[in-house]
């Protein structure tokens, strides 16, 4: 008994320390260390099991054809920041059910757990190019990131079409599907006991809302967040509240960041983390040269007022959350300008007027000699633990760029950089930051080196403006 208590205490102290210097940077390139690529969990949702978060979402890597079905990917994390790829849990295939065809479309996969059958059930929007097929598809697995068995797709109750949907489980174990019916609007359906079929209609909002995300506060009040229907382009998202899931639901309210188009994002999911509800949205980038796979994640803490039943979404360039308690903190950064670094192997500092307000230029790296830069003397006044590094960059190329970052004697990591071409016609601005996590800054001084990645193409490296390391 005594031992297990001590072990628990130790584990929780460690996880507290680990969370210290890790940052969520909305809109940035989020490299996953074990794929070396930007997180592919677009239109995704979270499911938490014990102390682990799993994210399941759309992999939109391939271009052209980036809106067609490739895989549904599953990643895991204990802190919502450091993600590890686990499995492609549903894959496009030319055989079997044509819903999974590589010429088809699978969007907004959401996994829920059924306590009665002990199975994980995935609901998803199943479609074909032109979006006229408009069905809700279902699959199941014995483990959250295991291979899923596809069952079927439905037009709910043979009455409605269904596009951008979500699945959600209430505290009493009842499963619900929220589907978007184009003629009438957002509809709530009750799922069967095994969650594999649609049982009955619960409520029709008669409002055109898609991409719903559900949350419930400590008073048992339900909130549904959703977007208007403007294709890939962002809009001011809506929300509505109710004491009973069957209604009446309040008149829809434009989110409190009105005019910002929900910070150029579309709602996808809300995850409760301790006392905090986290808004998770997608900033779609159909015009990005790297395609929809370069779409970024806008995750922000929701400020909830349970008395007035209002939600407020404030923008933070970066923020930190304790994964157990939901305590928030907002780091400030020490900036290390790339042009003040030691440059070798043909790395060149160039003026880039107006590119960034701070600092006068960027450093061109990679190239035929694989130019690199080294910054010495990095110190960090920090509680010990793991830290994120933010890299401000420019990538005018047509494709994702890569580089190799090494801190002190720690293992070098590959870092991805979504394109930031200024002339791209997207309506979703790129945050020119790539963020990478997990570095240790003990009390002694560290150095940092950044260079091209020969295994990819040393010429295909981002130009670097500066490195930002948090100070607390
Ligand atoms: C995503 O799909 C691509 C092919 O389009 C595949 O190479 C990759 O392994 C898939 N999974 C992830 C997580 O990127
Ligand atoms: C939302 O938060 C911002 C920043 O904290 C604050 O200025 C604003 O008054 C809040 N709005 C509402 C409706 O609570
Ligand atoms: C990089 O560019 C240089 C000069 O344009 C060229 O000689 C070299 O072959 C290129 N390297 C790769 C890996 O493409
Ligand atoms: C980059 O993309 C632009 C616009 O699509 C195209 O005109 C150009 O040829 C591409 N360049 C390369 C090197 O692929
Ligand atoms: C991102 O980079 C592009 C150039 O690649 C630039 O036009 C744009 O202003 C930058 N955005 C920000 C927010 O700095």
């Amino acid at each position: 008994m005594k031992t297990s208590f001590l072990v628990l205490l130790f584990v929780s102290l460690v996880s507290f320390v680990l969370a210290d210097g890790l940052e969520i940077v909305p809109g940035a390139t989020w490299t996953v260390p074990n794929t070396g690529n930007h997180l592919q969990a677009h239109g995704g949702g979270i499911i938490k099991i014990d102390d682990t978060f799993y994210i399941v979402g759309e992999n939109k890597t391939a271009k052209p054809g980036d809106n067609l079905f490739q895989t549904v990917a599953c990643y895991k994390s204990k802190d919502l920041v450091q993600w590890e790829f686990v499995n492609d849990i549903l894959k496009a295939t030319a055989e079997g059910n044509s819903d999974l065809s590589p010429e088809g479309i699978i969007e907004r996969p959401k996994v829920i757990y059924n306590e009665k059958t002990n199975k994980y059930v995935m609901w998803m929007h199943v479609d074909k190019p032109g979006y006229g097929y408009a069905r809700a598809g279902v699959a199941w697995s014995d483990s959250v990131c295991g291979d899923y068995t596809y069952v079927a797709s439905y037009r709910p109750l043979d009455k409605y079409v269904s596009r951008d949907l979500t699945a959600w489980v209430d505290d009493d174990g009842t499963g619900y599907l929220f589907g978007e019916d184009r003629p009438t609007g957002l509809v709530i359906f009750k799922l069967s006991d095994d969650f594999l079929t649609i049982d009955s209609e619960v409520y029709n909002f008669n409002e055109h809302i898609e991409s719903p995300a559900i949350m419930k506060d400590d008073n048992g009040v339900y909130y549904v967040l959703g977007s208007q229907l403007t294709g890939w382009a962002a809009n001011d998202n809506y929300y509505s509240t109710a004491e009973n899931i069957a209604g009446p639901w309040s008149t829809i309210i434009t989110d409190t960041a009105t005019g910002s188009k929900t910070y150029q994002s579309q709602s996808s999911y809300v995850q409760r983390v301790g006392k905090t509800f986290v808004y998770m949205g997608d900033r779609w980038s159909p015009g990005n040269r790297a395609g929809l796979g370069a779409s970024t994640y806008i995750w922000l803490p929701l400020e909830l007022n349970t008395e007035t039943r209002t939600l407020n979404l404030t923008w933070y360039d970066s923020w930190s959350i304790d994964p157990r308690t939901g305590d928030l903190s907002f780091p400030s950064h020490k900036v290390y300008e790339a042009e003040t670094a030691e440059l070798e192997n043909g790395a060149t500092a160039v003026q880039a007027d107006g590119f960034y307000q701070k600092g006068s230029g960027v450093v061109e790296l990679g190239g035929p000699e694989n130019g690199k830069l080294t910054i010495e003397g990095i110190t960090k006044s920090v509680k010990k633990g793991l830290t994120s590094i933010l890299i401000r960059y420019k990538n005018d190329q047509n494709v994702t760029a890569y580089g190799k970052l090494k801190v002190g004697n720690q293992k070098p990591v590959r870092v991805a950089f979504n394109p930031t071409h200024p002339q791209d016609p997207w309506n979703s601005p790129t945050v020119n930051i790539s963020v990478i996590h997990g570095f240790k800054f003990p009390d002694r001084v560290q150095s940092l080196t950044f260079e091209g990645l020969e295994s990819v193409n040393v010429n295909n490296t981002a130009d670097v403006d500066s490195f930002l390391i948090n100070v607390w």
Side-chain angles (χ1 to χ4, degrees):
M1 286 304 258
K2 212 182 220 168
T3 328
S4 62
F5 173 76
L6 281 176
V7 167
L8 271 179
L9 187 69
F10 178 73
V11 167
S12 56
L13 281 175
V14 166
S15 64
F16 179 76
V17 170
L18 288 186
D20 268 354
L22 298 173
E23 301 174 51
I24 293 174
V25 185
T29 308
W30 293 2
T31 306
V32 172
N34 73 335
T35 64
N37 279 311
H38 183 47
L39 181 75
Q40 293 300 314
H42 309 287
I46 302 266
I47 175 165
K48 192 181 179 207
I49 302 169
D50 302 327
D51 64 348
T52 304
F53 300 95
Y54 296 86
I55 189 166
V56 168
E58 304 160 31
N59 170 13
K60 293 201 152 337
T61 300
K63 194 181 186 301
D66 53 3
N67 75 323
L68 299 180
F69 180 38
Q70 299 166 51
T71 75
V72 173
C74 184
Y75 301 77
K76 69 175 181 182
S77 172
K78 287 201 193 286
D79 50 33
L80 286 171
V81 176
Q82 304 184 92
W83 292 97
E84 180 188 341
F85 171 68
V86 182
N87 188 22
D88 284 313
I89 61 180
L90 198 65
K91 297 189 183 89
T93 166
E95 285 149 35
N97 193 306
S98 66
D99 284 357
L100 303 183
S101 158
E103 306 297 315
I105 291 167
I106 300 280
E107 290 176 353
R108 306 203 171 277
K110 297 288 175 305
V111 169
I112 51 179
Y113 175 64
N114 189 301
E115 284 185 351
K116 297 185 195 90
T117 60
N118 201 19
K119 290 195 187 331
Y120 295 88
V121 177
M122 182 199 301
W123 281 90
M124 66 206 102
H125 169 194
V126 179
D127 228 314
K128 303 285 176 202
Y131 289 90
Y133 190 56
R135 296 169 76 91
V138 63
W140 64 269
S141 174
D142 286 324
S143 62
V144 60
C145 282
D147 295 336
Y148 278 65
T149 302
Y150 191 74
V151 182
S153 66
Y154 306 100
R155 286 272 171 95
L157 307 174
D158 291 327
K159 184 176 166 193
Y160 294 109
V161 299
S162 181
R163 293 195 177 85
D164 284 350
L165 54 71
T166 201
W168 186 76
V169 183
D170 207 343
D171 304 329
D172 65 1
T174 309
Y176 295 95
L177 184 75
F178 289 63
E180 187 261 319
D181 175 57
R182 199 53 56 92
T184 64
L186 184 65
V187 192
I188 308 177
F189 304 99
K190 185 175 159 309
L191 295 173
S192 57
D193 282 351
D194 62 8
F195 294 175
L196 293 174
T197 54
I198 297 158
D199 185 83
S200 55
E201 180 177 333
V202 172
Y203 188 81
N204 190 331
F205 284 81
N206 284 300
E207 292 279 0
H208 294 289
I209 300 170
E210 67 178 5
S211 192
I214 320 305
M215 59 181 262
K216 194 178 180 181
D217 72 16
D218 288 336
N219 299 332
V221 175
Y222 299 85
Y223 298 72
V224 57
L225 292 77
S227 78
Q228 304 175 53
L229 278 53
T230 55
W232 298 112
N235 54 62
D236 285 335
N237 287 194
Y238 289 146
Y239 70 95
S240 173
T241 67
E243 284 169 21
N244 187 320
I245 198 160
W249 285 80
S250 71
T251 312
I252 56 167
I253 307 161
T254 314
D255 72 32
T256 42
T258 308
S260 76
K261 299 186 176 169
T262 315
Y263 305 112
Q264 297 280 344
S265 73
Q266 181 178 34
S267 60
S268 184
Y269 203 75
V270 174
Q271 175 64 35
R272 186 172 187 163
V273 182
K275 63 185 174 204
T276 302
F277 290 90
V278 179
Y279 166 84
M280 300 178 160
D282 296 288
R283 182 176 283 181
W284 299 108
S285 64
N288 191 297
R289 292 171 188 224
L292 284 167
S295 301
T296 57
Y297 306 91
I298 305 300
W299 291 4
L300 292 165
L302 277 164
E303 288 146 42
L304 165 67
N305 184 328
T306 52
E307 261 159 53
T308 55
R309 297 180 189 173
T310 49
L311 296 172
N312 194 1
L313 203 57
T314 301
W315 177 264
Y316 298 102
D317 285 343
S318 100
W319 55 288
S320 293
I321 186 165
D322 183 307
R324 295 169 311 128
T325 64
D327 282 323
L328 302 174
S329 48
F330 303 95
S332 48
H333 297 94
K334 186 163 178 189
V335 180
Y336 296 86
E337 292 290 346
E339 65 270 22
T340 64
E342 184 192 327
L343 307 180
E344 290 170 83
N345 302 350
T348 318
V350 293
Q351 285 292 323
D353 289 341
F355 183 70
Y356 291 116
Q357 285 160 344
K358 281 185 195 158
S360 59
V362 295
V363 169
E364 294 177 337
L365 296 139
E369 297 166 63
N370 197 14
K372 72 170 184 180
L373 66 76
T374 303
I375 299 172
E376 303 280 2
I378 296 178
T379 51
K380 189 162 176 278
S381 50
V382 75
K383 311 156 197 155
K384 291 188 184 65
L386 300 180
T387 280
S388 303
I389 295 181
L390 282 56
I391 308 173
R392 270 189 212 277
Y393 71 97
K394 175 165 111 117
N395 173 15
D396 282 353
Q397 302 166 93
N398 289 18
V399 290
T400 304
Y402 298 92
K404 188 166 73 180
L405 179 68
K406 188 172 186 309
V407 176
N409 298 326
Q410 296 163 58
K411 208 173 130 214
V413 288
R414 164 168 149 157
V415 189
F417 300 87
N418 287 326
T420 58
H421 199 287
Q423 266 126 47
D424 274 341
W426 68 64
N427 45 35
S428 41
T430 296
V431 170
N432 299 337
I433 285 182
S434 178
V435 58
I436 186 89
H437 314 283
F439 299 96
K440 292 194 195 81
F441 284 88
D443 295 331
R444 65 199 162 81
V445 169
Q446 294 278 20
S447 68
L448 171 159
T449 63
F450 184 83
E451 62 185 317
L453 196 70
E454 265 160 290
S455 65
V456 175
N457 177 348
V458 290
N459 293 346
N460 173 215
T461 294
D463 296 342
V464 168
D465 172 78
S466 51
F467 296 82
L468 283 69
I469 300 175
N470 54 54
V471 286
W472 298 80

